[in-house]
Amino acid sequence: MDYRAMCAPLDEQNELAEHWGAPQGRWSWPDVSWKDVADLTSGYEIYNVTPVGEDAVEGVLVMELQSPPSGEQWSGLTHERWLAVQKLRAQQEGERWVVVPQEELQAVQGDQRAGGNLGVPAWVYEGQYGDFTIRLQWQTTASVNSYQSSGGFWSFPVFDTTPKIHGEFDRAERSYLVYAVYNGDPADRERYREIRVEYTPIYSGAGGEDKVKITSEQTRQDERDLEEYWNEYTGDWIFLDGGGGGYEGPEADTYQFPSAYGAKLYLNGEFASELTLLPAEGGEWIAF
């Protein structure tokens, strides 16, 4: 709560002080029971940091929960932990920056993969050809190093809840995941034995023109043997081999996301179509 109090707009601080002054405890979140179990030892991350003009930045706050909300189940697997998520906007107010929630805090079940977390909102690009929709998820994560040593003989890192004045992101990560959705007649699935997608990011340059970066590092391809896949899975989603990401520096261009993707689709080893994968739902973040 120290973070929220420090960063709140001035016209909200009296109300917040009165609200949190009630005897719910320093870290309780009044009136919503699952919010009492935020795992403070795990810290927090900001997903999808996006500059909005010159004086504002938006992102999604993500914190792990110690246990699922009442009535929900958890497998106990780390990559499926329940999360608290909330879209935020940081904006300038006079000579200081303030943080303004853009929605209520929500509980979602995580699904962490090499290509991102499917439980957390992401930018999604998609294109359509025949019986298939090709989709690409893009996420960024950023965090501030707020860990310190617990001390003692069995020392281990613990999250320091003390607000970091003038703290800066010191770690950022990009991740992406490509998959297809089969929209055709289930009886016709066996017509397709293999699917492959080559894709290249397109970034909007100065003046709004699109700039395609075609290099060995930028152009990637993912594929899937469908004969084997159809035998193992009955659903219509086809996760292609690949996806991934990597750690990046905290520089501003780390958070620039593509305006679109140029793609080539191959079916059964043959070229099928060129596609432009455009942001789904007008470019808004969407959850799977």
Side-chain angles (χ1 to χ4, degrees), residues 10 70 249 269:
L10 292 177
S70 177

Side-chain angles (χ1 to χ4, degrees), residues 165-220:
I165 307 301
H166 304 302
E168 296 182 356
F169 292 135
D170 63 354
R171 185 188 68 81
E173 182 177 358
R174 296 174 177 177
S175 58
Y176 59 89
L177 180 67
V178 180
Y179 65 100
V181 180
Y182 178 69
N183 304 311
D185 188 330
D188 294 335
R189 294 202 306 179
E190 294 184 359
R191 293 171 47 200
Y192 302 104
R193 303 181 304 278
E194 181 189 72
I195 182 171
R196 184 171 89 247
V197 178
E198 296 178 359
Y199 50 96
T200 302
I202 301 172
Y203 292 89
S204 293
E209 70 274 12
D210 287 336
K211 181 179 180 181
V212 182
K213 298 182 179 179
I214 304 178
T215 69
S216 59
E217 295 182 354
Q218 291 289 332
T219 300
R220 307 176 187 273

Side-chain angles (χ1 to χ4, degrees), residues 31-32 48 73 110 188 202 236 248 252 277:
D31 304 324
V32 185
N48 307 335
Q73 302 295 318
D188 294 335
I202 301 172
D236 295 326
E248 307 282 348
L277 308 184

Side-chain angles (χ1 to χ4, degrees), residues 41-42 145-151 154-160:
T41 65
S42 297
N145 184 4
S146 297
Y147 287 88
Q148 63 182 9
S149 173
S150 64
W154 300 105
S155 179
F156 56 90
V158 294
F159 184 76
D160 180 10

Side-chain angles (χ1 to χ4, degrees), residues 32-249:
V32 185
S33 59
W34 60 264
K35 297 178 184 177
D36 294 334
V37 292
D39 186 351
L40 303 182
T41 65
S42 297
Y44 68 95
E45 291 184 312
I46 305 295
Y47 276 63
N48 307 335
V49 172
T50 311
V52 181
E54 297 182 356
D55 300 323
V57 177
E58 291 185 347
V60 179
L61 170 68
V62 177
M63 298 180 291
E64 293 183 350
L65 300 179
Q66 296 181 39
S67 58
S70 177
E72 300 290 351
Q73 302 295 318
W74 176 41
S75 65
L77 299 175
T78 301
H79 74 279
E80 294 182 349
R81 288 192 68 169
W82 280 80
L83 308 169
V85 303
Q86 184 179 46
K87 186 176 179 180
L88 303 175
R89 173 187 285 244
Q91 60 192 39
Q92 280 195 294
E93 183 183 83
E95 297 183 357
R96 63 193 290 262
W97 283 80
V98 300
V99 177
V100 182
Q102 301 297 291
E103 62 184 9
E104 294 296 322
L105 204 64
Q106 304 174 53
V108 300
Q109 185 165 19
D111 186 0
Q112 183 67 54
R113 303 179 182 230
N117 196 316
L118 300 187
V120 179
W123 291 291
V124 175
Y125 305 83
E126 67 178 23
Q128 177 79 34
Y129 174 79
D131 291 333
F132 293 93
T133 299
I134 307 302
R135 288 180 179 164
L136 185 147
Q137 166 184 300
W138 172 277
Q139 283 179 332
T140 65
T141 58
S143 62
V144 176
N145 184 4
S146 297
Y147 287 88
Q148 63 182 9
S149 173
S150 64
F153 182 78
W154 300 105
S155 179
F156 56 90
V158 294
F159 184 76
D160 180 10
T161 58
T162 304
K164 301 296 181 288
I165 307 301
H166 304 302
E168 296 182 356
F169 292 135
D170 63 354
R171 185 188 68 81
E173 182 177 358
R174 296 174 177 177
S175 58
Y176 59 89
L177 180 67
V178 180
Y179 65 100
V181 180
Y182 178 69
N183 304 311
D185 188 330
D188 294 335
R189 294 202 306 179
E190 294 184 359
R191 293 171 47 200
Y192 302 104
R193 303 181 304 278
E194 181 189 72
I195 182 171
R196 184 171 89 247
V197 178
E198 296 178 359
Y199 50 96
T200 302
I202 301 172
Y203 292 89
S204 293
E209 70 274 12
D210 287 336
K211 181 179 180 181
V212 182
K213 298 182 179 179
I214 304 178
T215 69
S216 59
E217 295 182 354
Q218 291 289 332
T219 300
R220 307 176 187 273
Q221 68 174 26
D222 295 330
E223 59 187 287
R224 172 68 67 179
D225 182 335
L226 292 178
E227 291 182 303
E228 178 181 348
Y229 196 85
W230 295 140
N231 291 330
E232 295 181 7
Y233 302 97
T234 58
D236 295 326
W237 283 35
I238 306 166
F239 286 98
L240 305 182
D241 290 339
Y247 290 99
E248 307 282 348

Side-chain angles (χ1 to χ4, degrees), residues 16 58 107 127 249 283 286:
L16 291 174
E58 291 185 347
I286 64 174

